[in-house]
Amino acid sequence: MAREQVFNFAAGPSVLPASALERARAEMLDYHGCGMSVMEMSHRSPMFQEIFDSTKQKLKDALCVPDTHEILFLQGGATLQFASIPMNLLEGGAADYAVTGNFSGKAAKEAKKYGTVRIAADTSETGHDRIPAQQELKLSEDAKYFYYCANNTIYGTEWQYVPQTKAPLVCDMSSDILSKPVDVSRYGLIYAGAQKNMSPAGLTVVILDKALCGREMPYTPEIMSYQTLVKHDSMLNTPPCWCIYMLSLVLDWLKEQGGVEGMEEIKRARAAKLYDVLDNSRLYKAHALPGSRSDMNVTFRTEDNELDAAFVKGAAARGLVNLKGHRITGGMRASLYNAMPMEGVDALIAYMKEFERDHV
Amino acid sequence: MAREQVFNFAAGPSVLPASALERARAEMLDYHGCGMSVMEMSHRSPMFQEIFDSTKQKLKDALCVPDTHEILFLQGGATLQFASIPMNLLEGGAADYAVTGNFSGKAAKEAKKYGTVRIAADTSETGHDRIPAQQELKLSEDAKYFYYCANNTIYGTEWQYVPQTKAPLVCDMSSDILSKPVDVSRYGLIYAGAQKNMSPAGLTVVILDKALCGREMPYTPEIMSYQTLVKHDSMLNTPPCWCIYMLSLVLDWLKEQGGVEGMEEIKRARAAKLYDVLDNSRLYKAHALPGSRSDMNVTFRTEDNELDAAFVKGAAARGLVNLKGHRITGGMRASLYNAMPMEGVDALIAYMKEFERDHV
């Protein structure tokens, strides 16, 4: 099957812009005439340093990161940040965690090893089908930070507002970073695994207020100390060079799409089309409640497990792949990350309507 | 400059087999007709699982890893292992560390956060120009493990024997893994950053005796617990998929070269040629003492800093790149990892002889 016939709805790792992959292919054996692949470059070479610096600058520009904040290119994924954040910011004290899905739940559990975790909200009772309102958040006076996950990949919910808190905001933006403008100055720390909207798996981006550095617990591994990482500009050891280079290519593509402002328009249009089908269907039911719905991950089901399986199988036969929902929720999930073309959504909608016609 | 005219002597990240890069390029936008790049595949998809499983099997075969040991594909580099090892194996007790270079020194320093570190050997007095003999090692009775770095990339020394110890051996093989046969059963834990002999930067391979699992300290981050990682077959979170795929291609190439046995012959021949030039030179002086010399990183100098700089500059003009020594040692370093072709060594030797003729 030719590449252009497949639309990949995977929740991450996921679809990348074809133009970025094509440039990577063209430069693969010989980057800009240097006779080497980016994969073969010393991370200490001027050539790689230029890639590193320009990627950082492009990301700084794309998200308007203020000079108070530092961008780190790390390894280990969200799961390592689950521990890094409390090790660096908790100082043995307490933090508020909003549990609106699987990953914020895991983050809260991990943080308990390093201090006191207060649950500011927990939407598990209704299957994490919504985001709590500001007035529902239980905020504690002495919290070192307030933690939340901006977009819940598994459940398909997304915070439509930035919480108002006294404590610094710490936010997992793994699945909606670069999909809309963000006022970075309002956050103490933003982090994101790159494998959804940014780059291949293996890179974790951390954007943190430098004023929060230097509070790590004594047993924090050196490679997890934000202060040390800032001091070494992410190069305490060898960074994930290839993923950083791929991010650079993705950021070039993003700029061509009108940056995060352009992306916000596109992602809204993409998701609105799909939710419209769900809300007017006699077969499909959206999992997330209006007002809490994610533009990145649209979760739905038919309320018949066998029919769900038939839907996923039939979709794959048409080149609409990876539509199976997470094992926790079941049903279907269409992840509509930045690089998903509108043609993919249209093809999915055409198939959904046909499937509904055949099964209602 | 065309690719084939450059020989990359970088200490890591470093040269990769051209055939592996070419296959990666060919499959880049469409892996085996699936319409996706490996960089876009869900790590939970059967297609990626197949890549993961076969890569692991190829590595198991290449190093004859016994069933008592598990192979992990992780992130974070050696520096994360500096903390993971004591967090998992020290149990608050003591371990013996042989400090024969920069990285073993860093590992010993990090381990002190988690227990008692006893220095079994320290070769810093003579600029880490040699490896201690077995009888020099100060081994303590209650050591939870004995730690050493098999090859010191910066100083160009390499252990020519496997230490005899009561405690389990823990070994950093970052810069000589896959360059020779290893009796894995003699080790409690072997680890290696992939960016020298295996794959692009961003993958860390750990091979550990499963009997050592389950001893982690209570505050060990979940993603650093060997027991948890073994249980989840390295997929507690998204692994560095692209690097694992690249390792698979490199292992295919390795097999064509006769595996680690074939590689050992080649690397010995490569290094012997170069040391022969050094030992018969009136200009160059090898840093490492005979009996301790590395086949992977050959360090030398002229004893004149300006001449060293001129050597490195002239070499680069000929396409012999990244020959500058580490900032700690100065001078020159030729890293001869698995993928360095003999033509590269021959070209370097021709240049060395010419340079000597012109400057003596």
Side-chain angles (χ1 to χ4, degrees), chain B residues 176-197:
Chain B
D176 68 354
I177 196 162
L178 293 179
S179 75
K180 60 184 175 188
V182 169
D183 181 356
V184 174
S185 71
R186 292 185 62 181
Y187 291 86
L189 188 150
I190 292 167
Y191 76 92
Q195 69 272 17
K196 295 165 194 285
N197 255 341

Side-chain angles (χ1 to χ4, degrees), chain A residues 1-3 6 8 10 12-16 18 21-22 24-25 28-30 33-37 39-43 45 75-80 83 87 110 113-114 195 200-203 218-224 236-242 246 321-322 327, chain B residues 1-3 6 8 10 12-16 18 21-22 24-25 28-30 33-37 39-45 75-80 83 87 110 113-114 195 200-203 218-224 236-242 246 321-322:
Chain A
M1 191 180 290
R3 178 173 169 78
V6 164
N8 176 13
S14 45
V15 58
L16 288 165
L21 290 171
E22 279 158 12
R25 179 173 62 181
M28 183 130 200
L29 272 85
D30 189 1
C34 78
M36 285 180 275
S37 173
M39 288 187 262
E40 301 176 298
M41 283 181 195
S42 167
H43 61 301
S45 66
Q75 296 184 54
T79 312
L80 190 63
M87 276 184 162
E110 183 78 344
K113 289 181 189 163
Y114 311 104
Q195 69 273 15
L203 171 66
Y219 53 72
T220 306
E222 192 185 19
I223 191 82
M224 291 169 75
L236 178 66
N237 68 349
T238 315
C241 303
W242 178 255
M246 285 302 303
V321 301
N322 293 316
R327 60 188 181 277
Chain B
M1 192 182 288
R3 179 172 168 80
V6 164
N8 176 13
S14 44
V15 59
L16 289 165
L21 290 171
E22 279 157 12
R25 179 173 63 181
M28 183 130 201
L29 271 85
D30 188 1
C34 76
M36 286 180 275
S37 173
M39 289 188 261
E40 302 177 297
M41 284 181 193
S42 167
H43 61 300
R44 305 283 181 203
S45 65
Q75 296 184 54
T79 312
L80 190 63
M87 276 183 162
E110 184 78 343
K113 290 182 188 162
Y114 310 105
Q195 69 272 17
L203 170 65
Y219 53 71
T220 306
E222 192 185 19
I223 191 81
M224 290 168 75
L236 179 65
N237 68 350
T238 317
C241 304
W242 178 256
M246 284 303 304
V321 302
N322 293 316

Side-chain angles (χ1 to χ4, degrees), chain A residues 13 23 39 43 54 62 84-85 103 111 137 163 183 199 210 217 222 225 249 263 265 272 281 312 321 342 347 349:
Chain A
R23 261 183 71 192
M39 288 187 262
H43 61 301
S54 65
S84 290
I85 289 163
F103 272 64
L137 302 176
D183 181 357
S199 191
K210 283 177 276 189
M217 293 171 178
E222 192 185 19
S225 154
L249 302 184
M263 205 42 75
E265 255 182 68
S281 164
V312 170
V321 301
M342 193 60 85
I349 289 173

Side-chain angles (χ1 to χ4, degrees), chain B residues 142-256:
Chain B
D142 60 344
K144 297 285 183 188
Y145 57 86
F146 174 90
Y147 182 102
Y148 75 112
C149 177
N151 183 87
N152 299 287
T153 318
I154 294 177
Y155 299 94
T157 59
E158 190 172 7
W159 290 67
Q160 315 286 338
Y161 69 99
V162 178
Q164 297 270 5
T165 62
K166 251 178 62 184
L169 288 176
V170 172
C171 185
D172 174 358
M173 286 193 192
S174 294
S175 48
D176 68 354
I177 196 162
L178 293 179
S179 75
K180 60 184 175 188
V182 169
D183 181 356
V184 174
S185 71
R186 292 185 62 181
Y187 291 86
L189 188 150
I190 292 167
Y191 76 92
Q195 69 272 17
K196 295 165 194 285
N197 255 341
M198 292 199 283
S199 191
L203 170 65
T204 314
V205 171
V206 170
I207 305 170
L208 88 155
D209 184 343
K210 285 177 275 189
L212 294 177
C213 284
R215 306 174 185 194
E216 58 271 56
M217 293 171 179
Y219 53 71
T220 306
E222 192 185 19
I223 191 81
M224 290 168 75
S225 153
Y226 292 139
Q227 173 156 269
T228 302
L229 291 163
V230 167
K231 187 181 151 202
H232 290 269
D233 199 11
S234 304
M235 290 228 219
L236 179 65
N237 68 350
T238 317
C241 304
W242 178 256
C243 293
I244 293 168
Y245 161 69
M246 284 303 304
L247 173 57
S248 169
L249 302 184
V250 170
L251 287 167
D252 288 345
W253 168 84
L254 185 81
K255 198 172 177 185
E256 289 163 18

Side-chain angles (χ1 to χ4, degrees), chain B residues 9 57 71 94 96 100 121 132 134 161 180-181 198 204 235 261 272 310 323 356:
Chain B
F9 293 94
Q57 188 61 48
I71 295 173
D96 293 335
T100 58
Q134 171 73 44
Y161 69 99
K180 60 184 175 188
M198 292 199 283
T204 314
M235 290 228 219
E261 290 82 6
L323 280 161
E356 175 162 349

Side-chain angles (χ1 to χ4, degrees), chain B residues 245-316:
Chain B
Y245 161 69
M246 284 303 304
L247 173 57
S248 169
L249 302 184
V250 170
L251 287 167
D252 288 345
W253 168 84
L254 185 81
K255 198 172 177 185
E256 289 163 18
Q257 311 304 307
V260 291
E261 290 82 6
M263 206 42 73
E264 185 176 35
E265 253 181 70
I266 298 168
K267 70 140 191 169
R268 281 196 177 152
R270 227 168 14 209
K273 267 191 185 183
L274 204 46
Y275 284 117
D276 190 55
V277 172
L278 294 177
D279 289 339
N280 291 290
S281 164
R282 287 181 298 150
L283 180 64
Y284 310 110
K285 192 176 173 300
H287 177 74
L289 298 182
S292 296
R293 288 174 170 174
S294 167
D295 285 345
M296 309 314 288
N297 313 95
V298 178
T299 48
F300 58 103
R301 55 166 56 86
T302 65
E303 301 198 309
D304 172 339
N305 290 345
E306 276 179 37
L307 212 53
D308 286 352
F311 178 95
V312 170
K313 196 178 165 189

